[in-house]
Amino acid sequence: MLTVCHLYPTLLNLYGDRGNIIAFVRRCRWRGIPVRVREVNLGETVEFKGIDFLFLGGGSDREQGILTGDLRRHASALAAAIEEGLVILAICGGYQLLGLYYQPLVGPEIPGLGILDLYTRAGTKRLIGNVVIETKLDGEKVRVCGFENHSGQTFLGNIKPLGRVLKGYGNNGRDGFEGARYKNVFCSYLHGPLLPKNPALTDHLIRLALARRGMDCPLSPLDDSIEHLANKVMLNRLGVAKG
Amino acid sequence: MGIRLTAAILAGKAAYCVSRLGGGKGSSLPGVVALRIYPGILRVLAGQVENGAIVVTGTNGKTTTNNMLARVLESYGNRLVVNREGANLMNGVTAAFLKESSLRGCLNRHWALLEADEAAFPYIAEIVKPRVVIVTNFFRDQLDRYGELDKTVSLIRTTLTKLSSAKLVLNADDPLVAQLADTGLPRVFYGVGVPTGGKEAGGVTREARFCPYCGENLSYRYYHYSQLGAYRCAGCGFVRPRPDVEALGVEVVDGVTRCKLRVGKKVVSVTLPTQGFYNVYNALAVFGAGVQLGIAPGATAGSLTRYVPATGRLQEFIYKGRPVYLNLVKNPAGFNESLNLLCSTREPKDILIALNDNSADGRDVSWIWDVDFERLQERREILRFVCAGRRAAEMALRLKYAGVPVQRIAVSPGFAAGVRQVLEGNGSVVYLLATYTALWPVEKILRRYAKESNVADRLPSLSHSS
């Protein structure tokens, strides 16, 4: 039984983010892998040891302010779980939160959880639009698409990006990187939501979660024609379709 | 200036003719052209309207509310400027004035009834200086254009504080709207005063979970849909205000909605020739405007009985003896209401969903993942879902992950093929749900095959009580 945890679903659920949970759960169930979802809200306790896949979504500034304090209680336990291989997908606000700090346009910097070596600065222009990035999953190049909408510009320290931007802005619109990746943590600015039309990434996360529980076996294939069609529509439109 | 004004009007009217000849609606293009030639044209035309402007803003219900109110005012012999088709940015509003203006720029109208996009409201309101502002509700909509909902609300608040002579008509059931009362302008509240069996939307599309004043969780006695309901903040005491116009009972029978309303101390019955619970809110807003304008509630009720829905507002057509409904969908709250409607009966049906991602639709289509399609997975009477539009595949994907069997999902990006396919389905009723820029092409194709039916013709007569 895999346990999926949606952290602060009422606060961090912008731009259809829950679609990521839906995709992870469906693709497990279609293969007969038992899975359940736990939602953890403000003030509730969470035991990271019992979780296989943790999802951190994005929120509006106000919502993010409310939860940062609450999440700080969990910071050291979360850091330990990450070192031990917990599979995490963090989108947008959730991504920024795992970093060192957020520097607003005015006022002092807001400390993050300080788990990942990256920081975010508020930009004056919102970075909005469809994005395609290229990432490597198990050595294979995959084109991942989504929609970004953020004013924060993120810069990576000693940490790998999730991928290279083919179309769109990515982390900051300057260095050509998108997202971040550390151990089994995947961070990205891509909404859309990210997982449904990028099934290779979803399956990669499922495999990592199973492997962490000692079930290191290939996943049975699914008919992904609608997934690939949805992905291809955007790749074609942005002129970055392969072949 | 006079020459430029005339030139702008001429060019605008010419653009209208060209647009109509080309099969368009001429609802925006004339405004684009005229504003380019003479940017001050809206101020000149709006300044001539005898009684001033009434502006409807908010996320959902603007077009219907505006058109219902037009019906009421016209029944008193008023001549109006109305942007009926829902073109609600600066261009569309300007086009509505151009249509009624003489070539010299003279306008002989009693009222301007304008719906304004939330983001365009500040600009439009600054120019037309509305006498009455109706705010319907705030839901997540087209976020890539606006940033975030909080920002939209605060822009509207700032604009209202600058309109010293405006009166407000506010939805009491939406905490995000009700808070606008603190602008200090004279206001009338409207709301639905009895539980209607709505569920909390699973914490999914509810926007206003937190008190706008102190950030505490709002607690609800009941919900109608999304964040609309009877709320109270335990932190600071912010509470749903008592409405001046209130629905006391709502009943939908045979495609018509009957409700009992309290307007001040008076109780009236009103029959709306349309389904859809959200239309009760639209009607309440019109009664609220009636209060601000001094119109007797009985007269408003009489006019609403003869209301004919505008394009894509649950417009009814007939194809081979079967009803076909065309409805606009543009955000999770509105889409969920459409699903409520098509789940309200068990008759076999075929559905077309046309999803575009042009800027007027919102370029980010991720909002469809906040719509509760999961409730459709067990609905076997829905025989086929045809997905059309620029993001047809994305729509099909959403349905697949909602648990709809893939054999029942068809992807047909072109509208013509999609409409034909859904009309030839085996169900006894057809629903076409389209986003904004998909609506007109779908309607145009639909008219080739199906005839619009006038719902008002088969209505029972209106009853009053006091």
Side-chain angles (χ1 to χ4, degrees):
Chain A
M1 171 72 82
L2 292 180
T3 302
V4 172
C5 173
H6 192 176
L7 210 46
Y8 310 117
T10 56
L11 288 156
L12 294 183
N13 181 27
L14 208 54
Y15 310 114
D17 274 344
R18 75 183 187 122
N20 292 313
I21 305 270
I22 295 173
F24 189 97
V25 169
R26 286 279 179 202
R27 295 184 72 81
C28 285
R29 293 204 174 132
W30 285 332
R31 296 177 165 112
I33 303 166
V35 58
R36 65 176 167 197
V37 180
R38 253 203 81 199
E39 299 194 337
V40 174
N41 284 302
L42 279 183
E44 295 175 5
T45 53
V46 51
E47 186 62 62
F48 293 112
K49 279 205 174 63
I51 289 166
D52 299 288
F53 173 56
L54 178 76
F55 176 70
L56 263 172
S60 69
D61 292 349
R62 179 180 67 171
E63 291 162 344
Q64 232 159 287
I66 296 173
L67 69 87
T68 314
D70 194 70
L71 194 53
R72 213 170 291 288
R73 299 184 296 129
H74 304 300
S76 61
L78 183 60
I82 288 173
E83 289 305 320
E84 177 269 314
L86 175 62
V87 182
I88 298 181
L89 178 66
I91 302 291
C92 204
Y95 168 21
Q96 297 171 354
L97 220 63
L98 292 175
L100 303 170
Y101 62 86
Y102 180 90
Q103 174 65 62
L105 283 177
V106 285
E109 56 188 46
I110 302 162
L113 296 181
I115 297 174
L116 302 182
D117 186 11
L118 53 93
Y119 65 94
T120 304
R121 278 203 302 246
T124 45
K125 177 189 164 203
R126 262 192 111 76
L127 307 178
I128 304 177
N130 290 301
V131 205
V132 177
I133 68 170
E134 187 162 84
T135 181
K136 259 190 184 167
L137 302 172
D138 289 334
E140 200 171 318
K141 282 185 182 169
V142 177
R143 294 197 170 178
V144 168
C145 67
F147 193 94
E148 63 185 325
N149 185 347
H150 52 109
S151 58
Q153 302 184 356
T154 297
F155 297 90
L156 305 180
N158 188 22
I159 183 171
K160 278 188 299 191
L162 176 63
R164 205 164 51 81
V165 177
L166 299 183
K167 276 284 155 141
Y169 297 101
N171 282 343
N172 48 52
R174 280 180 259 174
D175 61 20
F177 292 137
E178 205 294 313
R181 193 171 163 177
Y182 174 74
K183 300 221 170 198
N184 289 341
V185 183
F186 294 76
C187 302
S188 177
Y189 273 115
L190 272 60
H191 295 288
L194 176 62
L195 295 186
K197 58 181 171 289
N198 297 294
L201 178 58
T202 318
D203 286 355
H204 187 69
L205 298 177
I206 295 173
R207 266 198 309 274
L208 290 173
L210 288 171
R212 181 162 162 259
R213 294 281 179 233
M215 293 172 276
D216 211 348
C217 51
L219 298 176
S220 48
L222 299 171
D223 176 359
D224 287 336
S225 40
I226 296 181
E227 285 82 346
H228 291 147
L229 185 61
N231 183 289
K232 229 177 91 191
V233 164
M234 195 41 70
L235 265 56
N236 284 340
R237 192 195 292 182
L238 298 181
V240 290
K242 269 193 250 187
Chain B
M1 184 178 101
I3 291 172
R4 259 174 76 206
L5 176 62
T6 305
I9 290 169
L10 263 172
K13 285 187 177 281
Y16 178 77
C17 296
V18 170
S19 169
R20 297 291 293 192
L21 281 174
K25 295 266 168 194
S27 55
S28 277
L29 184 67
V32 177
V33 171
L35 281 169
R36 188 156 303 166
I37 296 172
Y38 185 34
I41 190 163
L42 182 57
R43 198 178 297 272
V44 170
L45 295 178
Q48 299 176 51
V49 175
E50 192 177 320
N51 297 313
I54 300 170
V55 174
V56 187
T57 193
T59 310
N60 288 349
K62 293 186 290 287
T63 304
T64 299
T65 302
N66 201 37
N67 286 332
M68 283 178 166
L69 186 57
R71 180 113 209 165
V72 173
L73 288 176
E74 278 168 341
S75 73
Y76 278 86
N78 285 294
R79 287 192 306 276
L80 308 174
V81 172
V82 195
N83 54 342
R84 282 183 206 274
E85 305 282 2
N88 57 20
L89 302 175
M90 194 66 108
N91 294 330
V93 167
T94 305
F97 279 95
L98 277 172
K99 208 171 150 195
E100 311 299 341
S101 150
S102 76
L103 285 181
R104 295 174 168 219
C106 290
L107 198 70
N108 184 11
R109 290 293 177 270
H110 296 104
W111 288 99
L113 263 58
L114 307 170
E115 66 160 283
D117 174 271
E118 308 91 285
F121 176 78
Y123 309 100
I124 293 167
E126 198 267 319
I127 294 173
V128 306
K129 299 268 187 288
R131 293 265 313 277
V132 177
V133 177
I134 302 171
V135 187
T136 58
N137 46 55
F138 290 114
F139 301 119
R140 270 181 205 166
D141 191 18
Q142 305 179 11
L143 285 169
D144 57 318
R145 247 187 332 151
Y146 305 153
E148 286 155 8
L149 195 65
D150 292 339
K151 224 169 279 169
T152 308
V153 178
S154 94
L155 273 175
I156 289 177
R157 174 198 298 279
T158 311
T159 308
L160 289 178
T161 55
K162 290 185 217 150
L163 298 173
S164 50
S165 61
K167 294 176 176 177
L168 304 181
V169 178
L170 301 175
N171 187 340
D173 293 348
D174 184 344
L176 292 175
V177 173
Q179 59 162 321
L180 294 174
D182 67 14
T183 53
L185 296 169
R187 78 280 196 269
V188 162
F189 283 113
Y190 64 91
V192 176
V194 284
T196 49
K199 301 189 303 272
E200 174 183 1
V204 175
T205 60
R206 281 182 52 217
E207 300 298 339
R209 299 178 189 97
F210 306 99
C211 174
Y213 293 106
C214 71
E216 272 289 312
N217 257 306
L218 289 176
S219 61
Y220 278 75
R221 217 150 42 78
Y222 53 80
Y223 291 98
H224 299 304
Y225 64 95
S226 288
Q227 79 267 17
L228 306 191
Y231 52 85
R232 167 184 289 280
C233 171
C236 69
F238 173 59
V239 61
R240 170 188 185 254
R242 183 180 146 80
D244 307 279
V245 176
E246 193 165 32
L248 304 175
V250 179
E251 189 184 36
V252 182
V253 185
D254 292 338
V256 299
T257 304
R258 292 200 180 88
C259 39
K260 188 169 261 189
L261 308 185
R262 180 183 57 75
V263 183
K265 285 184 180 138
K266 226 176 155 146
V267 175
V268 287
S269 299
V270 59
T271 305
L272 302 170
T274 168
Q275 314 173 56
F277 175 64
Y278 48 87
N279 281 320
V280 175
Y281 273 107
N282 298 330
L284 286 168
V286 171
F287 277 93
V291 171
Q292 294 289 31
L293 298 170
I295 299 171
T300 304
S303 300
L304 290 185
T305 303
R306 291 180 295 277
Y307 169 73
V308 181
T311 302
R313 272 64 177 187
L314 213 60
Q315 217 177 348
E316 186 180 332
F317 295 81
I318 300 288
Y319 176 71
K320 291 190 179 165
R322 292 176 304 161
V324 179
Y325 293 100
L326 176 63
N327 205 23
L328 173 72
V329 286
K330 50 180 187 172
N331 49 42
F335 213 137
N336 279 333
E337 278 300 291
S338 291
L339 295 187
N340 268 342
L341 186 70
L342 60 91
C343 288
S344 63
T345 63
R346 289 276 176 184
E347 59 192 330
K349 46 185 79 88
D350 297 277
I351 294 169
L352 172 97
I353 304 177
L355 178 66
N356 267 358
D357 65 350
N358 295 309
S359 91
D361 306 291
R363 289 188 296 139
D364 181 3
V365 296
S366 56
W367 62 273
I368 62 171
W369 291 83
D370 285 327
V371 179
D372 189 18
F373 290 107
E374 277 71 13
R375 64 187 293 189
L376 302 180
Q377 56 188 316
E378 299 300 329
R379 305 294 296 227
R380 285 158 194 271
E381 77 275 16
I382 303 176
L383 306 176
R384 184 172 278 277
F385 293 88
V386 179
C387 303
R390 280 162 62 86
R391 299 302 290 273
E394 187 82 19
M395 191 61 236
L397 187 66
R398 175 68 188 101
L399 292 171
K400 176 181 174 182
Y401 279 85
V404 173
V406 286
Q407 314 83 269
R408 277 192 248 156
I409 304 171
V411 181
S412 173
F415 293 123
V419 170
R420 269 200 312 273
Q421 195 176 354
V422 78
L423 287 178
E424 294 311 327
N426 295 321
S428 51
V429 54
V430 179
Y431 286 89
L432 302 100
L433 310 174
T435 61
Y436 195 76
T437 69
L439 185 64
W440 310 116
V442 167
E443 189 211 9
K444 215 167 138 183
I445 293 157
L446 179 60
R447 282 188 188 282
R448 279 187 218 151
Y449 305 104
K451 190 172 162 293
E452 184 167 9
S453 65
N454 191 347
V455 201
D457 291 345
R458 49 176 174 81
L459 271 186
S461 63
L462 138 101
S463 59
H464 285 250
S465 61
S466 52

